Amino acid sequence: KYLEEDDITQDCESLISTLAKDQGWVLSHLYQYQGFWHPSRQLEGVITCQRHFQARDTDIILTTSPKCGTTWLKALAYVVVNRKTNTPTIGATGNNKQNHPLVTNNPHELVPFLELKVYVDHQVPDLTQMPSPRLFSTHLPVDSLPLSIKETGCKVVYLGRDPKDAFISLWHFANKLRPPHGGKISLEEAFDKFCKGVSLCGPFWDHVLSYWNYSLDNPNTVFFLKYEDLKHQPKLHLKKLAEFWGCPFSLEEENNGVVDDILSLCSFEILSNFEVNKFGKLSSGEDNKAFFRKGQVGDSANYLTKEMIHKFDQISLTKFHLSGLNF
Ligand code: A3P
């Protein structure tokens, strides 16, 4: 539903009328705002959160491009930060998995998007009573972040992903969101749009580069991580994340298998099989299961032609040239 055009304020409507517009991947249009493409309903959330969100030093903000592992990162952050109140034991060693909030709530409900949930539909909620650390997420690029995020010492984590895998994931996702009468968007059409930058919160390359540079400039408050690295060395990176968030694992916790338990609870296999994620829906209307597909590295190789891969790699080379960033 958040990709549909509906119910936007006049204020937003007059802004939208000044923006470049292109056909989106679902059925609505995308509008280019501050260099990046958004559906109208999301755009209204963007503007409201830019105006109203007041970050705190203790906030944790999870930032991603769509389909780069946001759901996974949210699950991990929520469990790590709340592990004293909600023990994450599960799997081989666990026995209280029924009690953990992640069992009955999709991670997007536990860690809300600022522009898609907190400030959507003209809402300006009072967030001052929320206990610290507050956990939020956003798909906004650096230049569009609410100023207070940049001005406070809040902890920003960016999870990036190989553009090819992110593209294939987004293509599948868009097709799941399209109503049956709309047909599918073809791989070729989506590819052309993605390469031109016309994708949800695209241009993809500019988004990831904005956070790469931001993390280099602000190493103490911005943590840049790749989906692929988290997949390959989950324990190493989860420990680094916990430290960054100010709640490092103690030796005792490590010896008691807490890190493994958290990784197990948040693993694709466990998370995607909870009833809530098989049959539930987000309050914004998407099926929770749309956020779980394969959870693998390199799946794009099963879809892209040699020419497409070549084009992707050329764009990456050009865009990331001299930045030190690669996938
Ligand atoms: P694929 O479509 O390649 O499978 P987002 O959460 O940003 O929307 O990203 C969705 C992508 O992350 C999907 O990738 C999804 O399968 C994958 N994903 C979801 N949960 C995951 C988990 N617990 N571990 C690893 N990958 C996960």
Side-chain angles (χ1 to χ4, degrees), residues 64-73 75 108 113 139 161 165-166 168-170 172-173 176 227 231 266-269 271-272 290-296 299:
T64 53
S65 257
K67 313 330 286 175
C68 289
T70 324
T71 316
W72 187 20
L73 182 64
H108 293 288
F113 281 110
H139 285 322
R161 191 177 188 187
D165 284 353
I168 286 300
S169 186
L170 186 60
H172 281 284
F173 185 69
K176 282 179 200 158
Y227 179 90
K231 278 294 271 193
C266 300
S267 67
F268 182 89
E269 291 69 27
L271 209 54
S272 61
F291 294 90
F292 303 93
R293 193 181 61 93
K294 282 192 177 172
Q296 289 170 7
D299 186 47

Side-chain angles (χ1 to χ4, degrees), residues 89-90 95-101 103-104 274:
T89 45
I90 197 168
N95 54 12
N96 72 338
K97 68 174 182 178
Q98 298 310 332
N99 297 330
H100 199 283
V103 178
T104 45
F274 289 144

Side-chain angles (χ1 to χ4, degrees), residues 78-95:
Y78 183 86
V79 181
V80 167
V81 167
N82 294 297
R83 69 186 187 273
K84 298 283 187 265
T85 27
N86 300 115
T87 320
T89 45
I90 197 168
T93 56
N95 54 12

Side-chain angles (χ1 to χ4, degrees), residues 2 45 49 53 59-64 70-71 73-75 77-78 82 102 105-120 123 125-127 130-131 133-140 145-146 149 282-284 291:
Y2 72 79
C49 92
F53 181 64
D59 285 346
I60 292 173
I61 314 283
L62 309 179
T63 59
T64 53
T70 324
T71 316
L73 182 64
K74 285 184 179 191
Y78 183 86
N82 294 297
L102 209 53
N105 298 274
N106 177 273
H108 293 288
E109 301 290 355
L110 297 172
V111 182
F113 281 110
L114 288 171
E115 71 279 16
L116 294 171
K117 169 107 178 162
V118 179
Y119 291 102
V120 82
Q123 297 180 96
D126 176 12
L127 305 173
M130 279 178 77
R134 303 181 305 180
L135 275 168
F136 297 108
S137 74
T138 180
H139 285 322
L140 287 174
L145 286 174
I149 292 184
L282 293 187
S283 53
S284 44
F291 294 90

Side-chain angles (χ1 to χ4, degrees), residues 52-299:
H52 296 281
F53 181 64
Q54 283 305 319
R56 279 184 203 156
D57 278 343
T58 49
D59 285 346
I60 292 173
I61 314 283
L62 309 179
T63 59
T64 53
S65 257
K67 313 330 286 175
C68 289
T70 324
T71 316
W72 187 20
L73 182 64
K74 285 184 179 191
L76 289 169
Y78 183 86
V79 181
V80 167
V81 167
N82 294 297
R83 69 186 187 273
K84 298 283 187 265
T85 27
N86 300 115
T87 320
T89 45
I90 197 168
T93 56
N95 54 12
N96 72 338
K97 68 174 182 178
Q98 298 310 332
N99 297 330
H100 199 283
L102 209 53
V103 178
T104 45
N105 298 274
N106 177 273
H108 293 288
E109 301 290 355
L110 297 172
V111 182
F113 281 110
L114 288 171
E115 71 279 16
L116 294 171
K117 169 107 178 162
V118 179
Y119 291 102
V120 82
D121 291 340
H122 337 299
Q123 297 180 96
V124 183
D126 176 12
L127 305 173
T128 56
Q129 302 308 312
M130 279 178 77
S132 296
R134 303 181 305 180
L135 275 168
F136 297 108
S137 74
T138 180
H139 285 322
L140 287 174
V142 173
D143 283 349
S144 296
L145 286 174
L147 267 189
S148 66
I149 292 184
K150 297 189 230 179
E151 287 169 350
T152 53
C154 69
K155 303 278 188 186
V156 174
V157 175
Y158 184 78
L159 186 63
R161 191 177 188 187
D162 181 312
K164 299 186 283 288
D165 284 353
F167 163 68
I168 286 300
S169 186
L170 186 60
W171 174 61
H172 281 284
F173 185 69
N175 275 329
K176 282 179 200 158
L177 295 190
R178 285 171 76 99
H181 68 267
K184 303 279 181 205
I185 178 168
S186 70
L187 186 68
E188 292 71 21
E189 189 186 346
F191 175 78
D192 281 345
K193 284 183 180 294
F194 195 85
C195 290
K196 278 195 285 179
V198 184
S199 60
L200 204 52
C201 302
F204 182 89
W205 288 267
D206 297 7
H207 196 282
V208 60
L209 197 57
S210 80
Y211 277 97
W212 173 251
N213 289 329
Y214 189 40
S215 72
L216 295 180
D217 292 343
N218 301 277
N220 296 326
T221 51
V222 186
F223 188 110
F224 186 98
L225 180 62
K226 295 176 185 167
Y227 179 90
E228 293 74 20
D229 291 342
L230 190 55
K231 278 294 271 193
H232 288 138
Q233 292 183 293
K235 207 164 172 174
L236 174 78
H237 293 292
L238 189 63
K239 281 173 19 185
K240 286 190 187 173
L241 282 172
E243 234 176 275
F244 177 73
W245 288 324
C247 47
F249 294 106
S250 66
L251 202 58
E252 194 191 350
E253 283 183 304
E254 280 200 49
N255 291 339
N256 287 340
V258 173
V259 186
D260 296 307
D261 281 338
I262 293 177
L263 288 168
S264 166
L265 175 60
C266 300
S267 67
F268 182 89
E269 291 69 27
I270 300 274
L271 209 54
S272 61
N273 276 304
F274 289 144
E275 296 282 296
V276 66
N277 293 325
K278 284 190 351 198
F279 306 112
K281 272 184 191 297
L282 293 187
S283 53
S284 44
E286 302 88 347
D287 287 332
N288 290 342
K289 64 173 187 285
F291 294 90
F292 303 93
R293 193 181 61 93
K294 282 192 177 172
Q296 289 170 7
V297 172
D299 186 47

